Amino acid sequence: MRVGDRPMRCLVLTVLVAAIASMPSVAQVGERTAPLRGLDEYVQVPESNPLTPAKVTLGRRLFFDPLLSADRTISCASCHHPELAFSDTTARSRGVRGQETTRNVPSILNRAYGASFFWDGRARSLEEAVVQPIENPREMALPLSILLDRLRQDSAYRHLFGEVFRDSVTGPNVARSLASYLRVLRSGDSPADRYMAGERSALSVEAARGLEVFFGKANCVACHAGPLFTDESFHNTGVSPADTGRGLVTHRAEDRGAFKVPSLRNVAMTAPYMHDGSIATLDSVVEFYDHGGGLSGRSDPELRPLRLTNEEKRELLAFLRSLTASSFVHQP
Amino acid sequence: MNRVITSLVIACILCSSRTRTAVAQSGSDVFQQALRKERVDGDLKGAIALYQRILKDYANDRALSASVLVQLGSAYEKQGSTEAQAAYQRVVREFADQPNQIVRAQARLDALASTITAREASGPTLRRVWADAPGAGGASADGRILSFADRRTGQLGVRDLTTGETRMLTENPPRPWQVYALGNVPSRDGRFVAYSWYSGPHPVELRVGSTRGGEPRVLVSNPAIEFIAPLDWSPDGKQIVAFAVRKDRVGQIAIISALDGSLRVLKTFGWRVAPGRMGFSPDGKFIAYNFAPRDDANQRDIYIIATDASVESVFAGTIDDEQFLGWTPDGKHVLYATGQAEQRSIWLARVEAGRPTGDATLVRRNAGAAEPMGITNRGTFLFGVAAPSPIRALSVALDSTRPRSSSPTPITLDRPEAWAAQWSHDGQAFVYASSAKPDDSRATHLIVRTTSTSAERVVPAVDLAYAYSTRWSPDDRYLMVVGQDKKGRRGVFRVDPSSGATTLIIAAAAGADEVFAGWTADAKSVIYTENVGQPLVTGIVRQRDLQTGEERELMRLPGIAIGSPKISPDFKRLAFLSRDSGNSSMKSLKVVELGTGESSHATTLARAGDIGPFTWSTNGHSLYYVVPSDGERQTSAESSKDRLMRVSTTGGDGSEVPISIPSRSIGIQMHPGGDKLLFTAHSSSPGQRDIWAMENFLPTSGLPGGGARR
């Protein structure tokens, strides 16, 4: 019995619905959700894509559906694992037909607050970003036109799209749905957030000292600043000079090898690190920066040896681990 | 069964007694409650609700209803609401049997009509309500109470405009500016004032105190928040909106509970200059705020964000600089200013559900710079106008034949304010720092002036929030600027004066503003200092190769903290200021030979209670230094008592140079020609301001008089 057979389709649909229904529920969009400590209450939502519960539900369904890949084996969640802060454990993930992706999978939590998307910042909105992996030949390798055909042939999706959008199944509506789901994936209220809100017992002494190192001697806040611990600027830290990075987008020589500063929220869960996944552990990342960054390529002139003591490194690591939230709001 | 009947009877009795109690409260009783709420509690909203309840529940009592309508009209008038007219008109129209109330209502209608006519005939009016105010903060809703932080002492006070009484709420500390208040705003009812409080190494606190005095409450004291300034109270008095700057220098809009100090962040702005003036709408549902949309933007826009974070919109966002001034009392308009300085114009724009509707209406042209304090319930816009108190650049000829009474010569610059001024080594150029915007010192421009032509140009795209000092490289190709970038990183930045390219060369710890000593002779390296260790401080002198980034330690000076280091013209010695260990009341001017390594010994050339800025002579044989008159912040415009001293580097006592120098100097440099000194100094004015009231600008049924459209 093949997936295309009607009874099988029904079974698959039933299993999917049951699987989704059994997961912790998404908080109702449109209602005022409780603010998460450490995150802004205000989330910018484009006027062209207002957030509604039905749209988020549709987006969540698409996110977990391997229908969105050429060979129907890969869904968005195949690389963005919810239990790993929506990233994965490999330096480069595998797309359809086992092809390796070009860069490390970034976490997609808190992207509602993002200013640009992907390591090179090539997308300016979530709506623009979400369809690119679907069509990327190394990732899901499915032209949008074929995806739309598949969705239109599926009665459940026809119904769902019709409920949400007046013009039903279109490319922009697929983008709007997926973007809306990503927009509600938020993670805050970590021990570090509680500590910075005044709850002095939220951090161990070691992690509290690590906070001082983070803001002080190590000067991580030069780039990892704000509620998301990233200012979303682009820097060349001397990693992997072969990848032009931001330079491919802006075509400026000074942007060659520069990549977006990633958020450090839940960083302890998103190994390996850097845009190419070349650094395996958080300890190694601290050593990397303590030495003044990578020696290859034109690394950022602001990088310099930090001369951290072993104790300061331990403290800094303890603080970085305290950026892990105990649960994700709107987890699927 | 008997028990059941007994229970039923008791229940009936209780119900009927409750009913009797309800009936016992007459319309007059409720009217008295409402009057008490309005006049004693100052709760206009609550009183209006009770008046309306009386009109609904006791409509049959016509005498009462007519009285209540007149009182309701009066309450609406206090709110500045146009509903007042409707209330009075209803009395006149529906209560012909209540002649006394008709007379009262008609009198108010006539008064309102004449006000409207006068307003339409004459346009906005201005009057000064407080001359020579020591500061300007905010105003209560009735315009009676003004709060301020005294610019001379930093202490918090309130002024009652009705009685003219000024009351200080905080006391002068033992040393001036040891602790002080910053941003401040009274609650709408004038009973409390929220303010920032700086007390040294601790984070800036948000406090609330009674305007009658007494011990304040600390609402926010959080090491993760480096700075917080209250900007407005919610209409119900339960919340305060503030801008907060985190430890990592990002700015935020924060809403703080006035009850328990709990804080929620509404929005974060990244590295940019924190949002400016903010204000709750009269219904408490929105906050309007100022913000510059781009890092390099001098123009601020006005945004409106819902307090429940549901929506945000740009209220005014053009190429002009738009400054939010306040909400009108009915919440239907926003008052704002556009343009710069003297050319600033004031506009009124209608707003609905947090969004602008229709065109803006011109209220006043060429209004000048104003520090908004608030719009009262009666539609009076209160604002402060500051007397200029800029930092200036002045030239003093080293000519002992000049009479001491001759004043230093101000250098006429394109900007009214100039600091961190430096002549280039060839004397051909002059660089100084100035505010990017006249009323915002948080964004800094570097300006290069050609001395022969007096032409000035702004160094493009300099990524600095503030510049403390500048130094030309020996070949005059680069500038080293000690300052702070927009990311809050302090240190020494190399700036290309042609392109503005800015690179952080030396990161300095917080509070270490004076670390750059100078360049090496070949201009390939720079020399800087660092103080380490507690309680015994060790001054360290380091050299960094600008090409390779390699560093080497030149010397250590145990027990000596190095401040304001300056390399001699021959690059062989380092002069610096140091506070004597064990005697923090004395300051020394010291010199040490570079290149002697571990055996370095600093020679004290001068000691005094305080030593101000200093500079090398052109031949490096002596140092000129300022001895301030009293070592403390001057509070009155007196003639200069600061003295210029000269001391030889070979030893001997310093001698006074008999020339008149500016008071309150913060920088000094010898001209390459050796014949004059460049001073940067505060003006003698302590920065007083006048408080003004603008009235007669609220729209009525149509446009204000002379209303142009935008």
Side-chain angles (χ1 to χ4, degrees), chain B residues 409-435:
Chain B
T409 309
I411 299 175
T412 304
L413 303 170
D414 285 357
R415 302 290 181 99
E417 200 166 27
W419 64 88
Q422 277 276 299
W423 277 304
S424 59
H425 288 87
D426 60 8
Q428 303 287 321
F430 177 87
V431 67
Y432 67 96
S434 188
S435 300

PDB file of all heavy atoms in Angstrom, chain B residues 409-435:
ATOM      1  N   THR B 409      40.082  84.408  24.606  1.00  0.00           N
ATOM      2  CA  THR B 409      39.357  84.680  23.372  1.00  0.00           C
ATOM      3  C   THR B 409      38.604  83.441  22.910  1.00  0.00           C
ATOM      4  O   THR B 409      39.241  82.429  22.587  1.00  0.00           O
ATOM      5  CB  THR B 409      40.340  85.099  22.258  1.00  0.00           C
ATOM      6  OG1 THR B 409      41.160  86.144  22.756  1.00  0.00           O
ATOM      7  CG2 THR B 409      39.587  85.539  21.019  1.00  0.00           C
ATOM      8  N   PRO B 410      37.286  83.507  22.885  1.00  0.00           N
ATOM      9  CA  PRO B 410      36.559  82.340  22.362  1.00  0.00           C
ATOM     10  C   PRO B 410      36.878  82.128  20.889  1.00  0.00           C
ATOM     11  O   PRO B 410      37.003  83.095  20.141  1.00  0.00           O
ATOM     12  CB  PRO B 410      35.086  82.716  22.550  1.00  0.00           C
ATOM     13  CG  PRO B 410      35.090  83.867  23.498  1.00  0.00           C
ATOM     14  CD  PRO B 410      36.384  84.562  23.319  1.00  0.00           C
ATOM     15  N   ILE B 411      37.036  80.891  20.522  1.00  0.00           N
ATOM     16  CA  ILE B 411      37.241  80.567  19.120  1.00  0.00           C
ATOM     17  C   ILE B 411      35.860  80.387  18.504  1.00  0.00           C
ATOM     18  O   ILE B 411      35.067  79.563  18.977  1.00  0.00           O
ATOM     19  CB  ILE B 411      38.079  79.279  18.970  1.00  0.00           C
ATOM     20  CG1 ILE B 411      39.455  79.477  19.611  1.00  0.00           C
ATOM     21  CG2 ILE B 411      38.207  78.885  17.502  1.00  0.00           C
ATOM     22  CD1 ILE B 411      40.306  78.231  19.630  1.00  0.00           C
ATOM     23  N   THR B 412      35.573  81.143  17.505  1.00  0.00           N
ATOM     24  CA  THR B 412      34.245  81.081  16.888  1.00  0.00           C
ATOM     25  C   THR B 412      34.147  79.836  16.015  1.00  0.00           C
ATOM     26  O   THR B 412      34.917  79.670  15.071  1.00  0.00           O
ATOM     27  CB  THR B 412      34.002  82.335  16.032  1.00  0.00           C
ATOM     28  OG1 THR B 412      34.169  83.485  16.861  1.00  0.00           O
ATOM     29  CG2 THR B 412      32.581  82.312  15.475  1.00  0.00           C
ATOM     30  N   LEU B 413      33.232  78.978  16.369  1.00  0.00           N
ATOM     31  CA  LEU B 413      33.063  77.727  15.640  1.00  0.00           C
ATOM     32  C   LEU B 413      31.651  77.654  15.064  1.00  0.00           C
ATOM     33  O   LEU B 413      30.771  78.400  15.476  1.00  0.00           O
ATOM     34  CB  LEU B 413      33.298  76.539  16.580  1.00  0.00           C
ATOM     35  CG  LEU B 413      34.654  76.494  17.278  1.00  0.00           C
ATOM     36  CD1 LEU B 413      34.661  75.411  18.343  1.00  0.00           C
ATOM     37  CD2 LEU B 413      35.757  76.255  16.264  1.00  0.00           C
ATOM     38  N   ASP B 414      31.479  76.724  14.141  1.00  0.00           N
ATOM     39  CA  ASP B 414      30.144  76.554  13.559  1.00  0.00           C
ATOM     40  C   ASP B 414      29.145  76.010  14.591  1.00  0.00           C
ATOM     41  O   ASP B 414      27.954  76.248  14.483  1.00  0.00           O
ATOM     42  CB  ASP B 414      30.204  75.576  12.377  1.00  0.00           C
ATOM     43  CG  ASP B 414      30.823  76.227  11.150  1.00  0.00           C
ATOM     44  OD1 ASP B 414      31.135  77.435  11.215  1.00  0.00           O
ATOM     45  OD2 ASP B 414      30.991  75.533  10.137  1.00  0.00           O
ATOM     46  N   ARG B 415      29.653  75.248  15.554  1.00  0.00           N
ATOM     47  CA  ARG B 415      28.753  74.659  16.543  1.00  0.00           C
ATOM     48  C   ARG B 415      28.803  75.476  17.834  1.00  0.00           C
ATOM     49  O   ARG B 415      29.848  76.011  18.184  1.00  0.00           O
ATOM     50  CB  ARG B 415      29.191  73.217  16.869  1.00  0.00           C
ATOM     51  CG  ARG B 415      29.238  72.282  15.672  1.00  0.00           C
ATOM     52  CD  ARG B 415      27.867  71.964  15.175  1.00  0.00           C
ATOM     53  NE  ARG B 415      27.897  71.056  14.033  1.00  0.00           N
ATOM     54  CZ  ARG B 415      27.696  69.753  14.127  1.00  0.00           C
ATOM     55  NH1 ARG B 415      27.474  69.201  15.294  1.00  0.00           N
ATOM     56  NH2 ARG B 415      27.720  69.002  13.045  1.00  0.00           N
ATOM     57  N   PRO B 416      27.687  75.548  18.539  1.00  0.00           N
ATOM     58  CA  PRO B 416      27.702  76.328  19.784  1.00  0.00           C
ATOM     59  C   PRO B 416      28.495  75.660  20.894  1.00  0.00           C
ATOM     60  O   PRO B 416      28.845  76.292  21.878  1.00  0.00           O
ATOM     61  CB  PRO B 416      26.215  76.421  20.156  1.00  0.00           C
ATOM     62  CG  PRO B 416      25.581  75.239  19.496  1.00  0.00           C
ATOM     63  CD  PRO B 416      26.348  75.001  18.236  1.00  0.00           C
ATOM     64  N   GLU B 417      28.753  74.370  20.735  1.00  0.00           N
ATOM     65  CA  GLU B 417      29.430  73.651  21.809  1.00  0.00           C
ATOM     66  C   GLU B 417      30.603  72.879  21.231  1.00  0.00           C
ATOM     67  O   GLU B 417      30.488  72.310  20.144  1.00  0.00           O
ATOM     68  CB  GLU B 417      28.459  72.680  22.489  1.00  0.00           C
ATOM     69  CG  GLU B 417      28.884  72.250  23.857  1.00  0.00           C
ATOM     70  CD  GLU B 417      27.760  71.576  24.629  1.00  0.00           C
ATOM     71  OE1 GLU B 417      26.872  70.993  24.020  1.00  0.00           O
ATOM     72  OE2 GLU B 417      27.794  71.640  25.872  1.00  0.00           O
ATOM     73  N   ALA B 418      31.697  72.851  21.947  1.00  0.00           N
ATOM     74  CA  ALA B 418      32.888  72.167  21.447  1.00  0.00           C
ATOM     75  C   ALA B 418      33.675  71.614  22.613  1.00  0.00           C
ATOM     76  O   ALA B 418      33.901  72.318  23.592  1.00  0.00           O
ATOM     77  CB  ALA B 418      33.763  73.129  20.654  1.00  0.00           C
ATOM     78  N   TRP B 419      34.054  70.377  22.518  1.00  0.00           N
ATOM     79  CA  TRP B 419      34.961  69.812  23.518  1.00  0.00           C
ATOM     80  C   TRP B 419      35.949  68.885  22.810  1.00  0.00           C
ATOM     81  O   TRP B 419      35.875  68.693  21.612  1.00  0.00           O
ATOM     82  CB  TRP B 419      34.173  69.078  24.613  1.00  0.00           C
ATOM     83  CG  TRP B 419      33.388  67.885  24.180  1.00  0.00           C
ATOM     84  CD1 TRP B 419      33.828  66.591  24.092  1.00  0.00           C
ATOM     85  CD2 TRP B 419      32.022  67.846  23.767  1.00  0.00           C
ATOM     86  NE1 TRP B 419      32.827  65.767  23.653  1.00  0.00           N
ATOM     87  CE2 TRP B 419      31.710  66.503  23.454  1.00  0.00           C
ATOM     88  CE3 TRP B 419      31.020  68.810  23.638  1.00  0.00           C
ATOM     89  CZ2 TRP B 419      30.437  66.105  23.022  1.00  0.00           C
ATOM     90  CZ3 TRP B 419      29.760  68.410  23.200  1.00  0.00           C
ATOM     91  CH2 TRP B 419      29.484  67.064  22.899  1.00  0.00           C
ATOM     92  N   ALA B 420      36.871  68.306  23.591  1.00  0.00           N
ATOM     93  CA  ALA B 420      37.905  67.417  23.048  1.00  0.00           C
ATOM     94  C   ALA B 420      38.636  68.094  21.900  1.00  0.00           C
ATOM     95  O   ALA B 420      38.926  67.476  20.878  1.00  0.00           O
ATOM     96  CB  ALA B 420      37.275  66.090  22.584  1.00  0.00           C
ATOM     97  N   ALA B 421      38.936  69.385  22.062  1.00  0.00           N
ATOM     98  CA  ALA B 421      39.534  70.142  20.960  1.00  0.00           C
ATOM     99  C   ALA B 421      41.048  69.928  20.917  1.00  0.00           C
ATOM    100  O   ALA B 421      41.704  69.823  21.950  1.00  0.00           O
ATOM    101  CB  ALA B 421      39.215  71.628  21.130  1.00  0.00           C
ATOM    102  N   GLN B 422      41.604  69.864  19.718  1.00  0.00           N
ATOM    103  CA  GLN B 422      43.045  69.653  19.555  1.00  0.00           C
ATOM    104  C   GLN B 422      43.515  70.294  18.247  1.00  0.00           C
ATOM    105  O   GLN B 422      42.912  70.075  17.183  1.00  0.00           O
ATOM    106  CB  GLN B 422      43.368  68.154  19.477  1.00  0.00           C
ATOM    107  CG  GLN B 422      43.484  67.460  20.806  1.00  0.00           C
ATOM    108  CD  GLN B 422      44.849  67.602  21.436  1.00  0.00           C
ATOM    109  OE1 GLN B 422      45.854  67.180  20.880  1.00  0.00           O
ATOM    110  NE2 GLN B 422      44.886  68.194  22.608  1.00  0.00           N
ATOM    111  N   TRP B 423      44.621  71.040  18.356  1.00  0.00           N
ATOM    112  CA  TRP B 423      45.298  71.469  17.139  1.00  0.00           C
ATOM    113  C   TRP B 423      46.096  70.309  16.587  1.00  0.00           C
ATOM    114  O   TRP B 423      46.654  69.498  17.335  1.00  0.00           O
ATOM    115  CB  TRP B 423      46.264  72.622  17.422  1.00  0.00           C
ATOM    116  CG  TRP B 423      45.615  73.969  17.463  1.00  0.00           C
ATOM    117  CD1 TRP B 423      44.872  74.541  16.487  1.00  0.00           C
ATOM    118  CD2 TRP B 423      45.684  74.923  18.511  1.00  0.00           C
ATOM    119  NE1 TRP B 423      44.474  75.808  16.864  1.00  0.00           N
ATOM    120  CE2 TRP B 423      44.957  76.070  18.097  1.00  0.00           C
ATOM    121  CE3 TRP B 423      46.311  74.953  19.766  1.00  0.00           C
ATOM    122  CZ2 TRP B 423      44.821  77.202  18.898  1.00  0.00           C
ATOM    123  CZ3 TRP B 423      46.174  76.079  20.555  1.00  0.00           C
ATOM    124  CH2 TRP B 423      45.438  77.189  20.123  1.00  0.00           C
ATOM    125  N   SER B 424      46.227  70.256  15.252  1.00  0.00           N
ATOM    126  CA  SER B 424      47.111  69.273  14.650  1.00  0.00           C
ATOM    127  C   SER B 424      48.562  69.704  14.900  1.00  0.00           C
ATOM    128  O   SER B 424      48.827  70.833  15.319  1.00  0.00           O
ATOM    129  CB  SER B 424      46.845  69.162  13.147  1.00  0.00           C
ATOM    130  OG  SER B 424      47.048  70.438  12.535  1.00  0.00           O
ATOM    131  N   HIS B 425      49.484  68.781  14.623  1.00  0.00           N
ATOM    132  CA  HIS B 425      50.890  69.075  14.925  1.00  0.00           C
ATOM    133  C   HIS B 425      51.429  70.202  14.064  1.00  0.00           C
ATOM    134  O   HIS B 425      52.354  70.915  14.463  1.00  0.00           O
ATOM    135  CB  HIS B 425      51.739  67.812  14.731  1.00  0.00           C
ATOM    136  CG  HIS B 425      51.504  66.804  15.807  1.00  0.00           C
ATOM    137  ND1 HIS B 425      50.494  65.880  15.731  1.00  0.00           N
ATOM    138  CD2 HIS B 425      52.118  66.596  16.996  1.00  0.00           C
ATOM    139  CE1 HIS B 425      50.495  65.131  16.828  1.00  0.00           C
ATOM    140  NE2 HIS B 425      51.473  65.534  17.605  1.00  0.00           N
ATOM    141  N   ASP B 426      50.884  70.341  12.882  1.00  0.00           N
ATOM    142  CA  ASP B 426      51.354  71.421  12.026  1.00  0.00           C
ATOM    143  C   ASP B 426      50.537  72.695  12.204  1.00  0.00           C
ATOM    144  O   ASP B 426      50.775  73.691  11.523  1.00  0.00           O
ATOM    145  CB  ASP B 426      51.328  70.985  10.555  1.00  0.00           C
ATOM    146  CG  ASP B 426      49.913  70.613  10.086  1.00  0.00           C
ATOM    147  OD1 ASP B 426      48.950  70.835  10.843  1.00  0.00           O
ATOM    148  OD2 ASP B 426      49.784  70.101   8.965  1.00  0.00           O
ATOM    149  N   GLY B 427      49.587  72.655  13.129  1.00  0.00           N
ATOM    150  CA  GLY B 427      48.791  73.847  13.390  1.00  0.00           C
ATOM    151  C   GLY B 427      47.811  74.198  12.294  1.00  0.00           C
ATOM    152  O   GLY B 427      47.127  75.206  12.377  1.00  0.00           O
ATOM    153  N   GLN B 428      47.730  73.382  11.245  1.00  0.00           N
ATOM    154  CA  GLN B 428      46.879  73.712  10.114  1.00  0.00           C
ATOM    155  C   GLN B 428      45.412  73.330  10.337  1.00  0.00           C
ATOM    156  O   GLN B 428      44.526  73.839   9.670  1.00  0.00           O
ATOM    157  CB  GLN B 428      47.350  72.960   8.845  1.00  0.00           C
ATOM    158  CG  GLN B 428      48.790  73.225   8.471  1.00  0.00           C
ATOM    159  CD  GLN B 428      48.963  74.605   7.895  1.00  0.00           C
ATOM    160  OE1 GLN B 428      48.104  75.079   7.145  1.00  0.00           O
ATOM    161  NE2 GLN B 428      50.030  75.278   8.262  1.00  0.00           N
ATOM    162  N   ALA B 429      45.212  72.405  11.223  1.00  0.00           N
ATOM    163  CA  ALA B 429      43.839  71.934  11.437  1.00  0.00           C
ATOM    164  C   ALA B 429      43.534  71.884  12.923  1.00  0.00           C
ATOM    165  O   ALA B 429      44.432  71.895  13.776  1.00  0.00           O
ATOM    166  CB  ALA B 429      43.645  70.550  10.806  1.00  0.00           C
ATOM    167  N   PHE B 430      42.275  71.789  13.193  1.00  0.00           N
ATOM    168  CA  PHE B 430      41.761  71.856  14.555  1.00  0.00           C
ATOM    169  C   PHE B 430      40.571  70.904  14.604  1.00  0.00           C
ATOM    170  O   PHE B 430      39.680  70.990  13.774  1.00  0.00           O
ATOM    171  CB  PHE B 430      41.333  73.315  14.769  1.00  0.00           C
ATOM    172  CG  PHE B 430      40.706  73.611  16.090  1.00  0.00           C
ATOM    173  CD1 PHE B 430      41.482  73.941  17.175  1.00  0.00           C
ATOM    174  CD2 PHE B 430      39.337  73.625  16.228  1.00  0.00           C
ATOM    175  CE1 PHE B 430      40.908  74.250  18.384  1.00  0.00           C
ATOM    176  CE2 PHE B 430      38.742  73.938  17.439  1.00  0.00           C
ATOM    177  CZ  PHE B 430      39.536  74.257  18.513  1.00  0.00           C
ATOM    178  N   VAL B 431      40.598  69.956  15.490  1.00  0.00           N
ATOM    179  CA  VAL B 431      39.480  69.009  15.581  1.00  0.00           C
ATOM    180  C   VAL B 431      38.761  69.238  16.902  1.00  0.00           C
ATOM    181  O   VAL B 431      39.374  69.607  17.904  1.00  0.00           O
ATOM    182  CB  VAL B 431      39.979  67.543  15.483  1.00  0.00           C
ATOM    183  CG1 VAL B 431      40.827  67.163  16.701  1.00  0.00           C
ATOM    184  CG2 VAL B 431      38.810  66.583  15.361  1.00  0.00           C
ATOM    185  N   TYR B 432      37.452  69.080  16.875  1.00  0.00           N
ATOM    186  CA  TYR B 432      36.715  69.130  18.125  1.00  0.00           C
ATOM    187  C   TYR B 432      35.480  68.237  18.020  1.00  0.00           C
ATOM    188  O   TYR B 432      35.068  67.862  16.921  1.00  0.00           O
ATOM    189  CB  TYR B 432      36.332  70.562  18.508  1.00  0.00           C
ATOM    190  CG  TYR B 432      35.322  71.249  17.611  1.00  0.00           C
ATOM    191  CD1 TYR B 432      33.957  71.252  17.928  1.00  0.00           C
ATOM    192  CD2 TYR B 432      35.727  71.922  16.470  1.00  0.00           C
ATOM    193  CE1 TYR B 432      33.036  71.891  17.127  1.00  0.00           C
ATOM    194  CE2 TYR B 432      34.809  72.570  15.660  1.00  0.00           C
ATOM    195  CZ  TYR B 432      33.469  72.551  15.988  1.00  0.00           C
ATOM    196  OH  TYR B 432      32.551  73.199  15.185  1.00  0.00           O
ATOM    197  N   ALA B 433      34.927  67.899  19.156  1.00  0.00           N
ATOM    198  CA  ALA B 433      33.712  67.087  19.208  1.00  0.00           C
ATOM    199  C   ALA B 433      32.539  67.988  19.566  1.00  0.00           C
ATOM    200  O   ALA B 433      32.686  68.967  20.284  1.00  0.00           O
ATOM    201  CB  ALA B 433      33.856  65.977  20.240  1.00  0.00           C
ATOM    202  N   SER B 434      31.380  67.641  19.021  1.00  0.00           N
ATOM    203  CA  SER B 434      30.183  68.400  19.345  1.00  0.00           C
ATOM    204  C   SER B 434      28.977  67.485  19.237  1.00  0.00           C
ATOM    205  O   SER B 434      29.051  66.421  18.621  1.00  0.00           O
ATOM    206  CB  SER B 434      30.037  69.595  18.388  1.00  0.00           C
ATOM    207  OG  SER B 434      28.988  70.445  18.803  1.00  0.00           O
ATOM    208  N   SER B 435      27.854  67.916  19.819  1.00  0.00           N
ATOM    209  CA  SER B 435      26.659  67.092  19.765  1.00  0.00           C
ATOM    210  C   SER B 435      26.139  67.018  18.339  1.00  0.00           C
ATOM    211  O   SER B 435      26.164  67.986  17.611  1.00  0.00           O
ATOM    212  CB  SER B 435      25.548  67.693  20.634  1.00  0.00           C
ATOM    213  OG  SER B 435      25.964  67.781  21.962  1.00  0.00           O
TER     214      SER B 435
END
